[in-house]
Amino acid sequence: MLSREEYLEAWSRWHGGADTSAPLVRGWLTLAHALARPLAALPPVVATAAGVVVAAAAVPPAAAGGAWLVLAGVLVGLSGLLDSLDGALAIGTGRASQRGFVLDSVVDRLTEVAYAAALWVAGAPGWLAVAFGALCWLPDYLRARAGQAGVHRTGPISLWERPTRVAMAGLTLGGAGVVSGLEIAGVDGATLTATAGAATGLLLGVVGTVQLGRWLGAELAGPGQGDLPPSG
């Protein structure tokens, strides 16, 4: 198993030279590395599969409402840890592969669908939950398309990276469970919290996408980027 610093360097290489010095990213990756060390013999795909199952399992308790929302928030947080664990196991033990990298990205998007669904059944308006989910997908889609256009760097860490999405969804659901049954300005506390959390995530998503978009715009306008392949 690689040391923490070796793992951070390897993770950065696998993610287009992404900066790991940001406190949130570094803390998240350090936690994943610490969890992976005693589980080094576990196949990474097991953690990958467990992550999407746990994320989907958050939807029923979110729909049940009440104190069950706290469980939904915990499951969202656990799914995020499992997602990071599979990467730590793969990279930290030298088992990382391009196939696993793609599979992990697909699973991330599926778990974010579950997060949006959980916010919706917890009380957030449907359009807001859909917008939340779309802005979970958009930054990574932009990076993927930019990669096809020749931009091989990941770019700056924005306000709306994977750890922020997980934390926003998990804390919103958990908070909704805490205030469930209370009326705030005539609205059930759980509904209000789910709506406020989804709206905050939407705002962070817009800001993060703008941050990324400005950087990508400069990269794509650079030398050698004038002739791009047709969309298809």
Side-chain angles (χ1 to χ4, degrees):
M1 185 73 181
L2 298 177
S3 69
R4 187 191 70 163
E5 291 305 317
E6 291 171 334
Y7 166 65
L8 291 174
E9 290 177 7
W11 185 93
S12 177
R13 288 195 300 272
W14 270 98
H15 292 80
D19 182 14
T20 59
S21 64
L24 179 61
V25 175
R26 193 174 188 85
W28 185 265
L29 293 175
T30 297
L31 176 59
H33 179 264
L35 292 173
R37 288 185 69 87
L39 300 172
L42 185 72
V45 70
V46 173
T48 301
V52 72
V53 169
V54 170
V59 178
W68 288 104
L69 285 162
V70 176
L71 175 60
V74 170
L75 290 173
V76 165
L78 179 58
S79 74
L81 287 176
L82 286 167
D83 167 58
S84 291
L85 176 62
D86 68 356
L89 287 170
I91 296 172
T93 60
R95 289 178 286 184
S97 66
Q98 291 178 323
R99 181 175 63 179
F101 185 76
V102 172
L103 177 62
D104 182 62
S105 297
V106 171
V107 167
D108 285 353
R109 305 294 77 78
L110 292 176
T111 59
E112 286 161 357
V113 170
Y115 300 164
L119 290 170
W120 174 50
V121 297
W127 69 267
L128 189 55
V130 169
F132 178 96
L135 281 165
C136 286
W137 283 42
L138 185 55
D140 294 279
Y141 176 77
L142 288 173
R143 284 188 171 117
R145 292 295 286 176
Q148 291 177 326
V151 178
H152 301 298
R153 294 192 296 156
T154 298
I157 300 299
S158 74
L159 287 176
W160 192 236
E161 300 298 339
R162 175 75 174 165
T164 310
R165 301 169 205 164
V166 174
M168 198 71 243
L171 291 174
T172 294
L173 291 167
V178 171
V179 300
S180 179
L182 298 177
E183 282 206 1
I184 304 172
V187 181
D188 178 66
T191 299
L192 187 61
T193 301
T195 301
T200 302
L202 175 63
L203 178 60
L204 291 174
V206 169
V207 173
T209 302
V210 169
Q211 287 178 314
L212 178 62
R214 291 181 63 185
W215 178 80
L216 284 175
E219 289 289 301
L220 291 169
Q225 301 294 343
D227 297 320
L228 300 180
S231 61

